[in-house]
């Protein structure tokens, strides 16, 4: 298993250094993880808005495939995104969002070595502490939580643009405030964001409750072949299925439409752990793992070369489906079972 140094919440010195470095640089390349979600893009665009207001030139981007998920296409500032090929090869400042290791930057990962300063803003338990400056809090419900604090420390008020972007990160990463990482402070942050005047109802519908009609058939096919293994996960139960490139293509669906299948599969009452193996266009599988709290799937994902959080994690497999699931079964079996 990959060893990671112990994590702590950001210190006052780290916050001060982050504020100073953002003040020192007239230009910042911003980058989030490959195949970005609401927290990745939302956190990145929120800081982009705040920095632009201060006169900083911002270049927000993410790895190839440079496809913005339809659910995020309406976020304020989405037009600021710069294709990865147009970024400087060696920026003086790189800020990364929601990205626990440099390889998760995908085609942008060389920037983590070439940039003079690399500020890492993240909440993954598996964060490897790459980069030169860290705002990392594994207890934060979303990277958006850290970005709101940073915006406050930069002296920039929240407005509706920043509010919508941060809300996108918060509502998606907390599963609409249902997951265990949601605290009173999470709701207090949500209240501050709502006070900026955002239409949270329209945002949530677009982020979580909107699919092309063809998604119904694709998800239906994936659900119909879901298998329950009652003896899996040390007897706590494992449920899993797969999504197929050909089925997405047949329904005219973009690749990110497979991401929400795990939220349906994980509802199986008899299984503590859920897995969805998403077939990748170039071969191999991107695997989503979820736990209801009885198994540390983050540890399992790290053991499989991936990462994530204790109860939501993932990894990429180059094995076939049988080999991938054999690895999942073994890693989940060996994963720690946190106390209730
Ligand atoms: P997902 O299942 O794709 O929604 O991801 C769940 C969590 O695991 C997120 O925090 C991801 O950032 C993380 N994750 C997913 N895939 C990987 C991977 N291949 N390597 C590292 N972390 C991952
Ligand atoms: Mn993410
Ligand atoms: Mn996140």
């Amino acid at each position: 298993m990959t060893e990671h140094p112990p994590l702590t919440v950001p210190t006052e010195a780290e916050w001060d250094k982050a504020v100073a470095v953002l003040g020192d640089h007239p230009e910042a390349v911003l980058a989030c993880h490959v195949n970005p979600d609401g927290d990745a893009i939302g956190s990145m665009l929120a800081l982009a808005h705040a920095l632009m207001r201060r006169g900083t030139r911002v270049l927000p981007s993410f790895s190839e495939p440079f496809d913005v998920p339809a659910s995020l296409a309406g976020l304020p500032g989405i037009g600021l995104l710069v294709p990865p090929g147009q970024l400087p090869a060696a920026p003086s400042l790189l800020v990364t969002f929601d990205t626990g290791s440099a390889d998760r930057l995908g085609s942008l990962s060389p920037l983590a070595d070439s940039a003079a300063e690399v500020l890492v803003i993240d909440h993954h338990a598996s964060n490897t502490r790459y980069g030169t400056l860290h705002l990392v809090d594994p207890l934060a419900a979303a990277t958006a939580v850290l970005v709101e604090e940073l915006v406050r420390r930069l002296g920039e008020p929240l407005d509706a643009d920043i509010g919508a972007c941060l809300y996108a990160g918060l509502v998606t990463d907390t599963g609409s405030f249902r997951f265990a990482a949601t605290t009173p402070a999470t709701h207090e942050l949500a209240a501050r964001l709502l006070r900026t005047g955002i239409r949270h109802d329209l945002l949530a519908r677009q982020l979580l409750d909107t699919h092309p009609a063809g998604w119904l058939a694709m998800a239906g096919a994936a659900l119909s072949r879901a298998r329950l293994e009652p003896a899996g996960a040390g007897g706590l139960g494992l449920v899993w299925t797969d999504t197929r490139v050909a089925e997405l293509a047949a329904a005219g669906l973009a690749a990110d439409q497979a991401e929400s299948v795990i939220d349906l599969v994980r509802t199986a009452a008899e299984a503590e752990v859920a897995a969805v193996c998403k077939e990748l266009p170039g071969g191999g599988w991107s695997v989503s793992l979820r736990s209801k709290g009885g198994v540390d799937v983050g540890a399992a994902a790290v053991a499989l070369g991936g990462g994530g959080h204790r109860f939501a994690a993932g990894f990429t497999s180059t094995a076939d489906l049988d080999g991938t699931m054999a690895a999942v079964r073994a890693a989940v079996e060996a994963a720690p079972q946190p106390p209730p």
Side-chain angles (χ1 to χ4, degrees):
M1 186 188 291
T2 316
E3 290 293 333
H4 297 303
L7 291 167
T8 52
V9 299
T11 61
E12 282 300 313
E14 285 177 317
W15 285 113
D16 290 348
K17 272 194 248 172
V19 167
V21 102
L22 290 170
D24 283 349
H25 288 78
E27 179 176 282
V29 172
L30 313 182
C32 63
H33 63 74
V34 63
N35 301 322
D37 53 25
D39 193 30
I41 296 247
S43 299
M44 180 168 76
L45 291 181
L47 192 65
H49 287 295
L51 291 178
M52 272 167 44
R53 231 194 252 153
R54 294 155 49 95
T56 305
R57 187 169 127 85
V58 292
L59 301 167
S61 186
F62 63 87
S63 170
E64 302 284 359
F66 186 61
D67 301 321
V68 176
S71 61
L72 305 175
L75 286 184
I78 201 79
L80 297 169
L81 287 172
V82 176
Q86 293 177 19
L87 296 175
S92 61
L93 174 61
L94 172 72
V95 187
T96 73
F97 300 82
D98 203 38
T99 305
S101 52
D103 62 297
R104 292 280 293 156
L105 292 170
S107 64
L108 298 187
S109 43
L111 296 183
D113 287 322
S114 64
E117 289 278 10
V118 181
L119 169 60
V120 174
I121 310 178
D122 185 40
H123 69 131
H124 285 91
S126 58
N127 189 286
T128 61
R129 297 246 152 193
Y130 67 99
T132 57
L133 294 171
H134 306 97
L135 297 177
V136 176
D137 181 359
L139 297 179
T143 297
V145 173
L146 291 157
V147 170
E148 193 244 6
E149 173 75 16
L150 182 57
V151 168
R152 193 181 66 72
R153 287 172 181 258
L154 288 169
E156 291 299 324
L158 296 179
D159 64 9
D161 285 350
I162 296 177
C165 291
L166 292 178
Y167 195 82
L170 199 63
V171 77
T172 54
D173 263 31
T174 59
S176 304
F177 307 100
R178 288 171 298 171
F179 300 155
T182 302
T183 63
T186 315
H187 285 282
E188 281 155 10
L189 169 55
R192 288 195 292 281
L193 300 178
L194 295 198
R195 281 195 200 97
T196 66
I198 58 170
R199 282 293 303 268
H200 62 87
D201 53 338
L202 301 185
L203 265 170
R205 188 192 305 158
Q206 191 57 41
L207 289 163
L208 301 161
D209 291 335
T210 301
H211 299 286
W215 177 86
L216 301 172
M218 184 280 299
L223 293 183
S224 70
R225 45 176 193 266
R227 269 143 290 185
L228 175 70
E229 299 181 5
L236 297 174
L238 170 70
V239 63
W240 68 277
T241 192
D242 59 274
T243 63
R244 297 297 172 129
V245 169
E247 289 175 353
L248 287 151
L253 298 172
D256 69 275
Q257 293 294 332
E259 299 301 327
S260 42
V261 172
I262 187 68
D263 288 317
L264 302 166
V265 174
R266 69 179 172 80
T267 61
E270 296 86 347
E272 186 67 26
V273 173
V276 172
C277 302
K278 297 164 282 183
E279 189 185 13
L280 293 168
W285 305 86
S286 170
V287 182
S288 289
L289 300 174
R290 299 290 186 272
S291 162
K292 289 177 183 158
V295 176
D296 184 346
V297 292
V302 168
L304 294 165
H309 312 283
R310 279 205 307 169
F311 306 140
F315 71 100
T316 304
S317 168
T318 52
D320 63 11
L321 186 57
D322 284 348
T324 300
M325 278 309 302
V328 167
R329 286 184 198 98
V332 164
E333 210 73 44
Q337 301 191 358

